[in-house]
Amino acid sequence: MPSWLNPEVIITSLGNWALWGVALIIFIECAIFPILPGDSLLFAVGMFTAMGTIAYGGTWSTVIFVYIVLMIAAVGGNLAGYWVGRLIGPPLFKPRTGFMGKVFNPVYIDKTHEFFAKYGARALILARFVPLVRTFVTLIAGISTMKLKTFIGFTAIGGVAWVLIVTTAGYFLGGVPLIKDNFELACVIIVLVSVLPMVWEWFKARRQSKKSAVASPQ
């Protein structure tokens, strides 16, 4: 992967500012820029915290502090994305060419609308664990003017769960030699695992459409 997407390179290059740099990246990814490596960065922060590279006092005070900072970044990013959706969502996703046209393709809006229509407000929790979708579903919540109170409740649950699960996994699994020595491969696996829920939903939808086609009269 490119060095600017490699969590290990990012954290190492940030030095003492690693946690704050990662928090900023998480905030931006959750708000509006979906191609940043949120999942693998959380995992890497957990790993580097366990190694003592990221430290703010004792072990438990560091862990708690890391959780709080990353949770604020994740939920705060979604709140920013929500307001971006409410204010400039439609013009942001207008058809265009080039790199921006690929990142903010209107097709993503249609797909996320379907995801949102199927799961309702709880989509904010389910989508949190799916790269790309977690950003766009937040924008859709803003574009569709979901009630702010409802949005905050569900996005907070999703943000807290996402940070706790992925960062804790990095804390306990990052020290395993196989993972530590093959970190880029581990990052790829994390991304693949993250998209499994989306693949499963696609498989179920495809199977259901086939059943409907067979059951419908000719």
Side-chain angles (χ1 to χ4, degrees), residues 22-103:
V22 169
L24 178 60
I25 293 171
I26 294 295
F27 179 91
I28 294 171
E29 189 219 11
C30 292
I32 197 172
F33 206 68
I35 64 172
L36 296 175
D39 297 294
S40 51
L41 269 175
L42 291 180
F43 188 90
V45 167
M47 183 183 77
F48 279 98
T49 299
M51 294 167 55
T53 304
I54 295 176
Y56 293 90
T59 300
W60 288 110
S61 62
T62 295
V63 171
I64 293 172
F65 185 70
V66 166
Y67 281 148
I68 292 173
V69 170
L70 295 178
M71 287 174 187
I72 292 174
V75 177
N78 278 148
L79 281 171
Y82 172 86
W83 286 109
V84 168
R86 291 197 66 157
L87 298 173
I88 62 171
L92 184 66
F93 283 91
K94 67 180 181 181
R96 56 165 67 90
T97 58
F99 176 74
M100 296 300 290
K102 293 179 180 179
V103 175

Side-chain angles (χ1 to χ4, degrees), residues 8 19 50-51 74 80 113 146 152 156 160 168 172 185 211-212 214:
E8 193 170 16
L19 177 61
M51 294 167 55
H113 260 304
M146 173 186 282
I152 291 176
V160 169
T168 302
F172 288 107
L185 178 60
K211 286 183 179 180
S212 300
V214 172

